[in-house]
Each structure stands twice: as C-alpha cells, then as structure tokens.
Amino acid sequence: MDKPVQQSSTGEWDRVWVNANLATMVAAHDGVSGYGEIKDAALAVRGDRIAWMGSSAEALARARSQDVAVTDCGGAWLLPGLIDCHTHLVYGGSRVEEFEKRLCGVSYEEIARAGGGIQSTVNATRAATPESLLESATVRALRLMDEGVTTLEIKSGYGLELSVERRLLEVARELGRRLPLSVRTTYLGLHALPKEAAADRAGFVKQVSGPWLEALAASGLIDAVDAFCENIAFSVAETEQFLHAAQRLGVPAHVHAGQLSDMGAAELAARFGALSADHLEYLSAPGAAALAGAGTVAVLLPGAYYMLRQTTPPPVPFLRQAGVALALATDCNPGTSPCTSLLLALNMGCTLFGLTPHEALAGVTRHAARALGLQTDIGTLEVGKRADFALYRIDRPAELCYALGANPCASVVYGGVAR
Ligand code: NIG
Ligand code: FE
C-alpha cells in the first residue's frame, strides 16, 4: 500500500504491529471489499487506543526514529477483537440428560412444560456457590477468549429470585475484573416462571419489573435487560410491562424473540427501540421491516437452532432486504447451545443460515458491537477505537468461517496490551 489510511494527530505510539493484513471490518463503500482490508499494513497503539494505521514501511521508519516497540506479525491477519453479544455463561449444573431425552424424541417444549429445561438449571444454579459459578464460567470464558473474543455479553436468568440473579450478575462482573475481557451484563428478568410463582404470574412479572429491576440497576450491576418472549415463557403484554419499566430507568433492552413461534416479539422489540432482537427463526417480513426502522440489530444464534434440530432458519433474505444489521453469537447456555466457540457459530451462520463470510464476520465484530450499544468504541479497527484485536494465521478472512474445530488465533491484544 502506498499511503497511510488513517493517522492520529498526536505522534506518540507505545507499540506498533507491522507486517499484518488488516481486516478493519469498516463498512465497505466500494461494494467490492467486504472486510475493509488493508494489506501489508501496520497498526500502532497509544494507551488502550488505536493511534494509527498505515504501511509497514512507514511504521518501521517511524518506530526506529522514535524508539517504539515493534511486533512483526509475519503476514498474519489482524481483526477487531471478537464480540460474543449473547451468552448465558454463568450457570450451575449441566443439561446432558435433557440432551439424551431430546434424542429419544421428547421436545424442548415438552421438557420445559414438565418442569425441566430452564427450571432444572435454575435449581442447580440456586444450589451453587458463587465460587463454583465463577470457576465454571471462567473455563467457558477462557475458551471463547482463546479464539480472539475480547468482549462478552452475559445474561442472568437462571436465578429467578433476586438474591440469585444478583449473584449471577456479580459473578459476571467479577469475571470481567479478573480476566482481560470486557463483560457486559444483562438482567434476563423474564426467562421462565419459577415454580414457586406458578400460581401468581402477574405477581412475578410485577416483582421482576419493579423492585428487583430497581435494586439491580441501583447496584450498578446491569447494562441492559432481556426477556424470553415466547409461548413457553412470557407473553407480549408481560414483556412489554418489563420493557416499560426498564425504559423508565433508561436501561436498554434485548429481547429473545421468535425462537419457537412468531408472537410479534420482534415488533415489540422495535417499538421499544431495543438494541437487539435475538433468535428470530420465526419472523415475518413486517417484523423484519420493524427491526430495520428501529435500528434494532438481529442477533442470530445458530448454535441453538442446531442443537434443537430446528428446520426453519431465520428469514435472512427478508432481513437483508429490509437492511437489518445481522449479528451472530454463541448463545452459550446449558440447554440449547452448550457452545464455547464463536468460530463454530461463524461456520454455522454460513452453512445453516446462508450468511456470507463477510456478513458472518461483521456479525461478530461491527454489528455485534452495535447490538451492545458499543459501536463507537469497539467492533472495527479505526483510529481512536479501543485497541482490542486478534491475530490469525490464515490466508484470507473467510477461513475463520470455513474451518470446523480449528483455532488459528495466534495472539490477542486487549486494550493495547498483548494478553
Ligand atoms: O437463548 N431461549 C431462552 N433462553 C436460552 C435457553 C435457555 C435454556 O434452555 O436453558 C436460549 O436458547
Ligand atoms: Fe439466549
């Protein structure tokens, strides 16, 4: 390349990475290059920010004259740190027995209605100590991080009582303090009706939307809320009550929408200007248009679709046509997606949902950032953004979507520091 692409006004660098191919993931304007590629390039950081991007030759000359530390990437591809924007990472127990049952012909809905499913994880989670929750969540987070994940969204929702929901959110925050990883927490207040509330749905929704939400928000434990709007979970009216309460407190929303049926949850998410509507296997064209109008990101979760052996994929053509931003995530959870590989989710997004590799990679970078409301800070390689990035030993970016079970991640930089 012959000219620097972006330059910071201040000349100071702490470190520079040279001899890399950058996939900046900045939205293409030329309609040709989908990854925002800059070949044989360099990227410099100052503090925790990207300070400069340009040619390796220029970077090397400048680094020599200013005595800046240089890392030679040996031709590796450098991408923005990956963002897993939908997980239920903190939970107790396992659901392997349910997996066995499903393979003997019992459906997810039948298991849920018989008091298993989410409720069985709630029982195991309530019985777990904070230490054991932190330990098991750390194992899962490290696996995601090994592939280049630098930002992780974590939902509560397996406590379903205030003290345990609080514990899950505290464990999630603690994970973010202990690991070189940005954690965003979501209060999934309406996930399932706990057995002790079976006789009083309305009372439960009122508690979740009122005192529990207020207490957790006041403790600074939540970045967003979420609800499972579904025939086996909560109705549109119940979800609406919760979203109203969050809106009054200025807390943004995600919605589990259209996973098993189309109840109009996507339209509801759009009405509230939700950051994201997630799953969306069952979505109408007007639903897709509503998401587009609201700027709500569609978060697609192929791991859950695969594990539940669903056969109706999200209507990606409608979503594309409507101009909805598409994100991809693991949905890491013990029931429907025991998945700790965002690279596997990339492959599934392509093979099961028909995304192009460019769409899939935008879905775990630029669009995932938007799904968390963090698009000004992360998700692309741009001067001024956080210096979170990962280096991969690959020949072209699509390889990250292509390989099954490979991990070509060579190193990760988090906030300007090699992890
Ligand atoms: O995203 N759909 C609701 N929540 C999770 C599944 C939770 C569970 O089965 O434990 C999901 O698929
Ligand atoms: Fe989920």
Side-chain angles (χ1 to χ4, degrees):
M1 43 171 305
D2 45 29
K3 60 178 168 52
V5 172
Q6 295 185 45
Q7 238 167 328
S8 63
S9 45
T10 69
E12 313 262 311
W13 300 347
D14 291 331
R15 176 172 285 276
V16 64
W17 282 258
V18 300
N19 195 12
N21 295 307
L22 310 184
T24 65
M25 300 311 297
V26 172
H29 297 296
D30 59 5
V32 178
S33 161
Y35 302 105
E37 297 159 42
I38 313 175
K39 297 274 183 66
D40 187 21
L43 180 151
V45 307
R46 166 89 174 147
D48 66 358
R49 300 285 132 181
I50 298 173
W52 182 92
M53 291 186 290
S55 81
S56 282
E58 190 182 338
L60 279 169
R62 194 157 152 189
R64 240 177 267 120
S65 69
Q66 294 177 7
D67 197 23
V68 175
V70 176
T71 301
D72 189 330
C73 302
W77 276 87
L78 196 158
L79 273 84
L82 306 186
I83 301 164
D84 194 351
C85 68
H86 180 141
T87 85
H88 310 247
L89 199 83
V90 183
Y91 59 82
S94 135
R95 299 254 287 280
V96 63
E97 285 167 24
E98 174 183 319
F99 175 63
E100 290 178 297
K101 273 192 198 146
R102 285 209 309 269
L103 287 167
C104 292
V106 191
S107 77
Y108 182 65
E109 286 94 325
E110 283 163 343
I111 290 167
R113 290 189 201 285
I118 294 172
Q119 185 62 51
S120 82
T121 298
V122 170
N123 298 339
T125 302
R126 286 177 177 179
T129 63
E131 293 74 27
S132 71
L133 290 170
L134 183 62
E135 197 180 312
S136 60
T138 300
V139 171
R140 295 188 275 270
L142 288 172
R143 288 192 190 136
L144 291 164
M145 289 165 67
D146 273 351
E147 293 185 340
V149 169
T150 51
T151 299
L152 184 56
E153 185 264 10
I154 301 178
K155 301 174 196 300
S156 65
Y158 288 123
L160 305 183
E161 62 190 14
L162 180 58
S163 62
V164 186
E165 288 293 301
R166 180 186 292 281
R167 188 181 308 151
L168 298 179
L169 293 162
E170 283 170 349
V171 166
R173 286 272 199 247
E174 183 61 20
L175 206 61
R177 282 190 289 269
R178 292 199 182 193
L179 299 174
L181 177 73
S182 299
V183 169
R184 301 293 286 181
T185 56
T186 300
Y187 172 39
L188 175 47
L190 296 182
H191 197 194
L193 189 68
K195 55 184 180 313
E196 65 274 12
D200 186 16
R201 286 187 75 86
F204 179 74
V205 175
K206 204 167 156 195
Q207 225 166 4
V208 164
S209 310
W212 294 8
L213 172 62
E214 281 154 28
L216 295 170
S219 307
L221 283 170
I222 60 180
D223 298 314
V225 297
D226 196 346
F228 186 18
C229 187
E230 190 50 72
N231 53 34
I232 57 165
F234 294 92
S235 68
V236 167
E238 289 163 338
T239 304
E240 188 165 3
Q241 192 180 330
F242 182 47
L243 296 186
H244 257 304
Q247 195 172 54
R248 275 196 298 274
L249 293 178
V251 181
H254 307 282
V255 179
H256 279 71
Q259 183 181 17
L260 307 169
S261 64
D262 183 3
M263 308 204 314
E267 286 88 336
L268 176 69
R271 248 194 341 272
F272 279 86
L275 288 172
S276 71
D278 305 44
H279 288 286
L280 300 174
E281 276 80 1
Y282 295 86
L283 174 72
S284 63
L291 294 177
T296 297
V297 177
V299 177
L300 308 183
L301 304 166
Y305 172 88
Y306 168 79
M307 278 295 282
L308 294 179
R309 298 198 292 163
Q310 288 181 274
T311 49
T312 305
V316 167
F318 286 174
L319 289 163
R320 262 192 206 124
Q321 206 175 7
V324 179
L326 304 177
L328 269 178
T330 61
D331 194 13
C332 177
N333 78 71
T336 63
S337 191
C339 173
T340 47
S341 171
L342 195 55
L343 296 183
L344 182 57
L346 280 177
N347 176 274
M348 289 178 170
C350 295
T351 52
L352 298 175
F353 293 169
L355 298 185
T356 64
H358 166 248
E359 286 174 324
L361 279 167
V364 297
T365 54
R366 185 171 78 243
H367 292 162
R370 206 171 129 194
L372 297 179
L374 298 176
Q375 63 274 25
T376 57
D377 207 42
I378 55 171
T380 55
L381 301 176
E382 288 178 85
V383 170
K385 282 203 171 176
R386 240 186 96 82
D388 288 353
F389 51 87
L391 282 152
Y392 296 96
R393 299 261 166 246
I394 50 175
D395 292 324
R396 50 198 290 155
E399 241 176 282
L400 294 176
C401 308
Y402 162 73
L404 283 169
N407 181 11
C409 183
S411 62
V412 180
V413 173
Y414 177 69
V417 178
R419 191 154 85 175

